[in-house]
Amino acid sequence: MIVRPFLQRFGETIRQAHFFAAVGVLNTIVDVGIFAFLTKTLSIWLVPANIVSFLSGAATSYLLNRNLTFARTRSQTSGSELWRFALVTLLVVVVSTVTVALLSKAVDPLIAKCISVGVTFAIGFVLQKTFVFRPSDDVPGAREENGA
């Protein structure tokens, strides 16, 4: 049967992707909600509004993904993990901001913001799984569970 080996090999990654998506929904609500408030209510320019809203969602993301999504494959928070998260967040906020700025010339900024969420989801998951919250050698079986 093909399903069993597939689930044994990729089951943890599938579980992580589901949790990452659920956390992402919450992050998106925070991100888009703050973005809408800043741009529509306070009339703040798109670029600083996107940076502030994205970083607010990123803070939520770090806490939830560290403690829920990737908790089984890591031991404890390290300074290097936090720096890796900051580096990935910087890269993804640049991608998000460029996407919003470019698309806002053709569509409403809120639509551009929503499109940017889709673009950054894939990038964020791959980088957080493989670089930020990579499996820890001191957690028994973490590398095997994580598909490494």
Side-chain angles (χ1 to χ4, degrees), residues 76-95:
Q76 56 187 334
T77 303
S78 67
S80 63
E81 177 186 276
L82 195 53
W83 280 110
R84 289 190 306 264
F85 183 83
L87 183 63
V88 167
T89 299
L90 178 63
L91 171 70
V92 176
V93 77
V94 167
V95 170

Side-chain angles (χ1 to χ4, degrees), residues 39-118:
T39 58
K40 301 294 183 183
T41 304
L42 300 181
S43 300
I44 293 178
W45 185 48
L46 297 174
V47 171
N50 188 67
I51 292 169
V52 168
S53 69
F54 187 93
L55 293 177
S56 299
T60 305
S61 172
Y62 178 75
L63 293 172
L64 293 176
N65 282 317
R66 177 176 60 98
N67 292 309
L68 298 174
T69 308
F70 301 107
R72 292 185 190 176
T73 59
R74 38 179 309 286
S75 57
Q76 56 187 334
T77 303
S78 67
S80 63
E81 177 186 276
L82 195 53
W83 280 110
R84 289 190 306 264
F85 183 83
L87 183 63
V88 167
T89 299
L90 178 63
L91 171 70
V92 176
V93 77
V94 167
V95 170
S96 173
T97 302
V98 168
T99 302
V100 169
L102 291 176
L103 291 177
S104 290
K105 295 177 181 184
V107 298
D108 183 81
L110 281 177
I111 293 171
K113 178 66 177 173
C114 291
I115 293 169
S116 79
V117 169

